Amino acid sequence: MTTMDISATATVVRRDRLPYDEYLRDYLAPHVPVVITGALDSWAALGKWTPEFFLAHYPTEKIVVGGEETTLGEFLPKVIASTPTNPCLYLKDHFIRNMPSAVRTDIDPFIPYVFPNWLRGKYLLRSVNYGLNGPANPELFIGGFGTRLNELHYDWGGCHVALCQLYGRKEFTIYAPDQTPFLYADGRISRITNIYEPDLTRFPLLAQAKFVRFVQEPGEIVILPTGWWHTTRLLGPSISVALNFANHTNWNEVIKEITMGMNKYNPFFVWGYRSFLRSQRLLKILGGRNRGRASLYDA
């Protein structure tokens, strides 16, 4: 095992209350990450959601952590007690639509940066229908001091992702899509499970990879466009909300990713399905800027 002693090569831009049109033009369309500050100030969840709050109000909420079903009442004491030498597991991808309506009210109105969300729709294949509509649901993440996302990845289906930090601090390490040749990719997931102390004998190319490392503070939104590799570790107890989204800036990437796994189908069917998804572009444009907002918590 060799410890990689390199520092971040740059940092991301922080923009306070970034106007939507500038966000679209300068960051989302060219696929440039950005940290947006001040845009969560209207959420009641900011300053309200803490491990103690959820422990007091939602102890019976059923969750799945590390593949095992448990409750917030059983999990949150482990979050509070978590340390870097003995970190708790990570609650990931918990659909907020399944939680009491008061939880949804605390993050309303949802941030404008994820709309329009073209993921919402009805598609011919069940797997595609689930694959696109599923990520379009806000998800809850909770972890403790020292908890790591032991997975270097980019988000499924060519999606952009918005990550809203509500409590605690989170350290991101991100790699641009052009760094993929150095990351030992197996699809959208890297075979490297620990980028902080990687085995450079097994993964020597990683030493050439350029990365950006930064800390996300409470009240900040991190926007990672399609194809950006990322992993995180928590600098204390942490609560955040994430949402995948797509629009005209990444619809081609979504089509490519969704149809890439259709090897079992006839090539003419795959061609036809790609054509169908491309034909949806006009329909989705006509849906306007708020497309996906009304269906935010739909199954």
Side-chain angles (χ1 to χ4, degrees):
M1 179 72 70
T2 303
T3 299
M4 182 170 59
D5 184 18
I6 59 177
S7 58
T9 58
T11 189
V12 292
V13 173
R14 276 181 161 81
R15 294 290 307 275
D16 188 60
R17 298 172 176 83
L18 179 61
Y20 184 89
D21 290 342
E22 288 185 40
Y23 155 74
L24 188 62
R25 180 193 67 216
D26 297 340
Y27 300 99
L28 199 62
H31 296 181
V32 176
V34 64
V35 178
I36 303 171
T37 63
L40 297 179
D41 292 351
S42 65
W43 278 11
L46 185 61
K48 177 180 180 180
W49 285 11
T50 66
E52 292 79 8
F53 168 79
F54 279 101
L55 189 58
H57 292 85
Y58 304 105
T60 61
E61 175 73 17
K62 292 182 179 180
I63 58 175
V64 175
V65 181
E68 300 291 333
E69 186 173 290
T70 183
T71 64
L72 283 177
E74 295 169 328
F75 173 64
L76 287 169
K78 299 174 184 176
V79 170
I80 296 169
S82 181
T83 67
T85 56
N86 188 27
C88 71
L89 296 175
Y90 210 173
L91 169 62
K92 303 179 293 182
D93 311 321
H94 184 68
F95 281 173
I96 291 176
R97 73 163 188 248
N98 296 331
M99 301 183 73
S101 60
V103 175
R104 300 194 292 273
T105 301
D106 283 344
I107 55 173
D108 184 62
F110 210 79
I111 57 173
Y113 303 107
V114 300
F115 300 112
N117 194 349
W118 288 11
L119 295 180
R120 286 295 186 190
K122 293 184 179 180
Y123 305 97
L124 303 176
L125 289 179
R126 180 180 298 178
S127 60
V128 176
N129 206 50
Y130 174 79
L132 291 181
N133 284 285
N137 285 278
E139 297 171 335
L140 180 67
F141 290 69
I142 301 178
F145 190 18
T147 297
R148 288 203 323 244
L149 181 61
N150 292 320
E151 180 185 283
L152 178 62
H153 72 290
Y154 63 84
D155 276 56
W156 187 87
C159 297
H160 303 314
V161 62
L163 303 120
C164 307
Q165 190 68 13
L166 295 169
Y167 180 81
R169 304 169 73 236
K170 180 185 296 183
E171 182 189 76
F172 277 81
T173 303
I174 65 175
Y175 298 82
D178 64 8
Q179 299 301 295
T180 301
F182 309 118
L183 301 180
Y184 297 87
D186 186 3
R188 65 179 186 87
I189 299 175
S190 170
R191 297 197 299 274
I192 305 165
T193 57
N194 184 354
I195 64 165
Y196 307 102
E197 294 181 339
D199 186 344
L200 294 180
T201 302
R202 288 184 62 200
F203 307 115
L205 294 178
L206 182 63
Q208 301 179 47
K210 297 178 180 179
F211 65 92
V212 178
R213 184 167 288 161
F214 62 94
V215 174
Q216 183 185 23
E217 304 287 347
E220 294 184 341
I221 305 167
V222 171
I223 304 288
L224 295 179
T226 179
W228 275 80
W229 295 84
H230 54 282
T231 191
T232 59
R233 58 181 173 186
L234 308 184
L235 306 181
S238 171
I239 300 174
S240 57
V241 170
L243 182 75
N244 287 113
F245 63 104
N247 52 40
H248 69 281
T249 64
N250 66 327
W251 192 240
N252 287 339
E253 286 86 352
V254 169
I255 294 172
K256 178 181 177 182
E257 290 276 339
I258 287 294
T259 58
M260 192 178 295
M262 293 185 176
N263 298 330
K264 65 181 180 179
Y265 295 106
N266 183 289
F268 292 104
F269 175 85
V270 177
W271 176 85
Y273 206 91
R274 286 177 183 150
S275 299
F276 164 74
L277 291 174
R278 291 189 189 103
S279 73
Q280 295 291 295
R281 178 183 291 269
L282 179 59
L283 178 64
K284 291 176 185 295
I285 288 174
L286 293 174
R289 187 152 133 182
N290 282 318
R291 183 182 181 93
R293 185 179 288 277
S295 59
L296 185 62
Y297 296 107
D298 287 356

